[in-house]
Amino acid sequence: MIRVAVLGYGNIGRAAEQAIVAAPDLELAGIFHHQDITADDKWLEAKPDVMLLCTPTREVPAFATIMANHGICTVDSFDIHGQIVGLRQQLMPLCEQHKTVSIISAGWDPGTDSMVRALLLAMAPKGLTYTNFGPGRSMGHSVAAKAIPGVKNALSMTIPLGTGVHRRMVYIELEDGADFRQVEKALLKDDYFAHDETHVIQVASVDELNNVAHGVHLTRSGVSGVTHNQRFEFNMEINNPALTGQVMVSCARAAYRMRERGEAGCRTMIELRPIDMLPGKEEEIIKDIV
Amino acid sequence: MIRVAVLGYGNIGRAAEQAIVAAPDLELAGIFHHQDITADDKWLEAKPDVMLLCTPTREVPAFATIMANHGICTVDSFDIHGQIVGLRQQLMPLCEQHKTVSIISAGWDPGTDSMVRALLLAMAPKGLTYTNFGPGRSMGHSVAAKAIPGVKNALSMTIPLGTGVHRRMVYIELEDGADFRQVEKALLKDDYFAHDETHVIQVASVDELNNVAHGVHLTRSGVSGVTHNQRFEFNMEINNPALTGQVMVSCARAAYRMRERGEAGCRTMIELRPIDMLPGKEEEIIKDIV
């Protein structure tokens, strides 16, 4: 059994715990909170092979570093696209030094969508891929909306309009005495919203709209060799934290196997062999799905 | 530049040649026919890093063995699903001995579809995947129809009906004096057709119907952790030989890179890292698509 622990117990930590318990070849080594890591050595005594970093993205680099220094593999869902290469550069020498594997940006985007984009590029090297997100809640946009003066709570839904263009539907619960028109004006000027079609809607309770559903509609039309009009499409409609937690857990298995083979280093999901994410013996997996 | 040669110059060999020429990091080391391999050493003098085996599937094991014995990596599109594990077992020790990489069953099914199926299993381990093929020509069924006495030429189209159930539309050109009803009766009894809904249609010319278009509609509804109703879909509408040739060429790049890293062996596509199939530097690919 591969011992997998969870650091951070929000939506994704809870989903990861469920995916560990459901897996035939993994056992839960423990669930830890951020402060547990500095408080004492209980998390080390739990002897995890892999620690899932279900923390806010900005805390990932620090915790990934601590784990590598202790010889523990990690999986995170670091999601700031522009900083992924930098994080990989930072963790690579640490992982190589301590012979660990750190799989970064493991979720659905970045993550499994990235693998689909890589696959489609291999199938039709020239052409255009569009990743359309939603309908689903954007954490970043919801937080940005909540930061506007007069906003008590906010939910920003991402609506796919095709060719990577998105509409923002922003549901706003006002603080007492706040003026909706002023809030709307401030929000539409905010850099998070200024570049997209944005609709602002006042509601009595944002909590009542809460829903972790999300989706992707990814398309590519491209050229294989000299043959144009090769058309591909990947769609999903999913529970967001459940999928993210599951993908992280499948990556924990891959990290363990890579370390067993002596392949230390920091990897994104397009650097993983799909078979390493699945339980069971190689030949049986090949027989079943190839 | 990676030197890639083509063995076998049918539809797929031609498409592979085009994909090699279009790739920024590959060069065509030569195009060879089956008899060239035993005739003289010109194919060896061409110094291919990778030989694409665009031969009939049944000739793949013999040619893959010859290439491994000469230290040349191979890619084939061996497509007899039930014999893939056996071919892998046969080639594995040879590849390990000669430090080569042989990527087998590289096409779209088996091949890229297998990678998608692996990915969906990692995302939702419990559930059902259905692979629906078509509309498109089935080579196996067309050959089986052509073998029926009285048939001059035949085209069997695979029509997807969902949940992995397919209809066969079989277009028959009769030999002079043959009786359509007798041919139809014999065909419907043939083991290739007896288990599917099959329609037999007499036409004046099968050649006029010829079309290398094909498609896939692959679906999965499954469970991530304890969360049901996670829904996924992968669709494509493609030129069949163009895609198969392109996938083989992208795998040639992967085979070369794996050998450069010292990873000798026989691999199916679910054992490849997607990034290895793409041209360019790792960090640039990660920056572009992760």
Side-chain angles (χ1 to χ4, degrees), chain A:
Chain A
M1 300 290 271
I2 306 170
R3 293 180 60 76
V4 184
V6 174
L7 176 60
Y9 202 53
N11 282 340
I12 292 175
R14 267 173 253 266
E17 176 193 16
Q18 293 165 342
I20 294 166
V21 171
D25 56 339
L26 311 180
E27 62 186 345
L28 186 65
I31 292 167
F32 301 100
H33 296 273
H34 309 191
Q35 59 273 24
D36 297 338
I37 305 303
T38 43
D40 54 39
D41 281 352
K42 279 196 184 137
W43 64 280
L44 267 174
E45 288 156 15
K47 294 193 183 301
D49 295 305
V50 187
M51 183 70 83
L52 302 184
L53 306 181
C54 305
T55 64
T57 262
R58 296 200 180 276
E59 296 177 13
V60 160
F63 283 117
T65 301
I66 293 172
M67 296 301 146
N69 282 333
H70 283 87
I72 298 168
C73 294
T74 59
V75 177
D76 65 63
S77 59
F78 185 87
D79 66 354
I80 308 170
H81 284 261
Q83 297 178 18
I84 293 171
V85 169
L87 178 60
R88 185 172 171 277
Q89 286 171 345
Q90 182 185 335
L91 296 179
M92 189 72 84
L94 272 177
C95 293
E96 287 172 351
Q97 183 191 338
H98 298 287
K99 302 194 191 322
T100 62
V101 173
S102 177
I103 300 179
I104 63 172
S105 303
W108 51 271
D109 205 315
T112 47
D113 278 2
S114 317
M115 292 180 91
V116 172
R117 284 190 287 265
L119 198 54
L120 298 187
L121 265 174
M123 296 166 88
K126 292 171 188 167
L128 284 167
T129 296
Y130 293 114
T131 306
N132 302 286
F133 297 104
R137 175 174 60 175
S138 165
M139 284 295 279
H141 289 79
S142 297
V143 168
K146 216 184 282 190
I148 296 201
V151 175
K152 189 174 170 193
N153 202 355
L155 164 67
S156 179
M157 292 291 288
T158 305
I159 311 297
L161 303 180
T163 58
V165 176
H166 296 93
R167 176 188 295 144
R168 311 285 168 190
M169 298 295 290
V170 190
Y171 300 90
I172 297 283
E173 189 177 328
L174 288 182
E175 282 176 349
D176 287 345
D179 178 63
F180 177 69
R181 290 295 158 207
Q182 273 194 327
V183 165
E184 182 185 38
K185 210 170 146 186
L187 190 142
L188 294 175
K189 272 192 200 156
D190 188 288
D191 204 54
Y192 260 89
F193 299 97
H195 314 288
D196 296 330
E197 177 193 329
T198 301
H199 301 254
V200 189
I201 299 143
Q202 188 181 351
V203 296
S205 164
V206 162
D207 261 0
E208 308 238 322
L209 310 179
N210 212 11
N211 179 0
V212 295
H214 220 305
V216 163
H217 171 55
L218 195 158
T219 68
R220 182 170 181 83
S221 174
V223 185
S224 306
V226 297
T227 304
H228 291 242
N229 197 29
Q230 303 282 75
R231 277 166 294 140
F232 309 90
E233 186 183 12
F234 176 75
N235 302 313
M236 62 183 200
E237 295 181 342
I238 47 87
N239 173 312
N240 184 353
L243 181 59
T244 304
Q246 178 66 65
V247 170
M248 292 179 77
V249 169
S250 296
C251 286
R253 182 181 290 118
Y256 179 85
R257 289 181 176 163
M258 290 161 77
R259 186 175 61 176
E260 290 288 292
R261 288 198 299 265
E263 296 173 22
C266 178
R267 304 280 184 266
T268 59
M269 283 188 75
I270 65 170
E271 300 167 88
L272 305 187
R273 301 163 11 128
I275 197 171
D276 284 336
M277 295 194 286
L278 304 180
K281 290 183 179 162
E282 282 192 347
E283 287 193 352
E284 278 159 33
I285 298 169
I286 292 168
K287 193 166 151 245
D288 283 348
I289 67 167
V290 171

Side-chain angles (χ1 to χ4, degrees), chain B residues 1-6 20 25-32 42-52 72-74 249 252-253 255-256 259-260:
Chain B
M1 300 292 270
I2 305 171
R3 293 179 61 75
V4 184
V6 174
I20 294 165
D25 56 340
L26 310 180
E27 61 186 344
L28 185 65
I31 291 166
F32 302 100
K42 280 197 183 136
W43 64 280
L44 267 174
E45 288 156 16
K47 294 193 183 302
D49 295 306
V50 187
M51 182 71 83
L52 302 184
I72 297 169
C73 293
T74 60
V249 168
R253 181 182 290 119
Y256 179 86
R259 186 174 61 176
E260 290 286 293

Side-chain angles (χ1 to χ4, degrees), chain B residues 154-168:
Chain B
L155 164 67
S156 180
M157 292 290 288
T158 304
I159 311 296
L161 303 180
T163 58
V165 177
H166 296 93
R167 177 187 295 143
R168 311 286 169 189

